[in-house]
Amino acid sequence: MKYKFKIIYGILSLFLIVGCSNDEAGPSNTGEKVNITQISSKQTYDQKYANEAKKVLSQKDNIQKVFAVNSDELLIIAIEVPHHERFQLSDTNKKLSKEMDKKFKKDDISVELATDKKIIIELEALEKQIQNNSISKKELKKQLKHISKLLKEQT
């Protein structure tokens, strides 16, 4: 009788250990690079500021995705951070906003940085439109103003 309990206890312990292992199914930032899409400068609108911002921000450890689009006077950047980093989101946002403002100050371009999911989705769609050459300069400016307005509403 005691022998059966030991076997059952051993099997249950094994299931508990295997079931509670710390094997994350989600993406991890251990050595993986951030996947960014460089927007070609041969498109309707030159995206050199957006590409430069993506390059700089992709080097940061706590950033999973970076989306950025610019016009002549406005650069909007959206970043996605890991879920466990969201507690320091406001500090991260302030720090990276200051860094991007300083980087593009000499170019006389206004920089806005967002971490909101809605802005990320909007910028991702806008990047795809630019990549496919399916947006005009006028429409691009209009979309950027709309996204900027959304940013100001949330703050």
Side-chain angles (χ1 to χ4, degrees):
M1 189 75 161
K2 288 184 178 181
Y3 186 67
K4 288 182 182 179
F5 285 119
K6 288 183 180 181
I7 291 176
I8 292 173
Y9 180 72
I11 292 172
L12 288 176
S13 298
L14 181 65
F15 282 128
L16 182 67
I17 292 171
V18 171
C20 294
S21 68
N22 194 10
D23 187 12
E24 291 184 20
S28 67
N29 259 358
T30 55
E32 292 181 16
K33 292 289 182 188
V34 177
N35 188 10
I36 60 171
T37 304
Q38 293 290 326
I39 303 173
S40 174
S41 60
K42 296 177 184 171
Q43 303 296 329
T44 306
Y45 222 80
D46 185 20
Q47 295 294 305
K48 73 175 185 178
Y49 298 121
N51 289 333
E52 191 174 336
K54 286 179 181 184
K55 184 179 176 184
V56 170
L57 290 173
S58 68
Q59 303 299 318
K60 306 290 182 188
D61 289 335
N62 58 347
I63 296 178
Q64 287 180 323
K65 293 181 183 177
V66 180
F67 299 102
V69 177
N70 70 278
S71 64
D72 289 332
E73 65 275 342
L74 180 62
L75 168 64
I76 299 180
I77 306 166
I79 59 171
E80 192 172 296
V81 296
H83 189 69
H84 65 276
E85 299 267 341
R86 296 196 66 83
F87 292 114
Q88 295 90 16
L89 198 56
S90 63
D91 293 336
T92 303
N93 196 344
K94 285 178 188 176
K95 185 178 106 182
L96 293 176
S97 290
K98 285 181 182 178
E99 184 179 332
M100 290 294 107
D101 283 337
K102 187 182 285 185
K103 179 156 187 66
F104 295 107
K105 189 174 186 174
K106 66 180 180 291
D107 296 317
D108 202 31
I109 189 166
S110 176
V111 178
E112 295 181 14
L113 188 116
T115 54
D116 185 48
K117 190 67 175 174
K118 181 171 177 68
I119 305 300
I120 293 170
I121 292 169
E122 294 274 339
L123 276 181
E124 184 177 15
L126 193 56
E127 274 189 6
K128 286 180 183 175
Q129 287 179 335
I130 293 171
Q131 199 73 24
N132 295 333
N133 255 349
S134 62
I135 191 167
S136 66
K137 288 183 181 183
K138 186 177 180 180
E139 184 64 26
L140 177 65
K141 283 185 178 184
K142 182 179 174 185
Q143 289 285 338
L144 283 175
K145 284 182 182 179
H146 171 70
I147 293 171
S148 179
K149 184 178 173 185
L150 286 175
L151 268 168
K152 288 178 176 59
E153 282 179 4
Q154 293 170 2
T155 55

